[in-house]
Amino acid sequence: SCSAKIRHFSPLVCAERLRGHEKVKILFKLENLQKSGSFKDRGIRQLIRTLIDEGDVRRLLSSSGGNAGHSVATIGKEYGLPVDVFVPT
């Protein structure tokens, strides 16, 4: 079972300026407040957690030129796992 602290709160904020109708409420989920600054943290965190629960994970590898690699590195650090991110050229 995973022991890392894996939850990070991201609030819902009402977009008052975009409301054009009284019965419509527009909300934004501020995923940019995740630790890596990306919504990708949620899916990647779940994948890593599942892999850890199902087997012996010693290292994480990712091929990414952007947010996914940053999320893997951030979450791998939370779990104390070494991470290699390969950036395509």
Side-chain angles (χ1 to χ4, degrees):
S1 180
C2 299
S3 61
K5 191 172 190 178
I6 62 168
R7 297 195 180 176
H8 186 73
F9 177 73
S10 56
L12 284 173
V13 176
C14 185
E16 295 291 337
R17 288 184 171 182
L18 296 178
R19 289 178 66 168
H21 191 278
E22 284 186 28
K23 294 183 180 181
V24 175
K25 189 175 190 180
I26 299 173
L27 299 172
F28 289 105
K29 181 90 168 131
L30 301 183
E31 292 295 321
N32 60 313
L33 298 178
Q34 292 294 332
K35 290 182 181 180
S36 77
S38 172
F39 73 94
K40 293 189 178 197
D41 281 12
R42 291 198 184 276
I44 290 171
R45 181 176 281 114
Q46 183 61 41
L47 173 63
I48 292 171
R49 184 173 163 178
T50 299
L51 292 171
I52 290 171
D53 286 346
E54 291 179 353
D56 184 20
V57 177
R58 297 178 191 175
R59 174 177 227 92
L60 300 173
L61 304 173
S62 173
S63 174
S64 169
N67 291 341
H70 191 195
S71 290
V72 171
T74 300
I75 295 159
K77 183 177 178 182
E78 288 179 17
Y79 284 105
L81 293 169
V83 177
D84 293 304
V85 178
F86 297 92
V87 179
T89 59

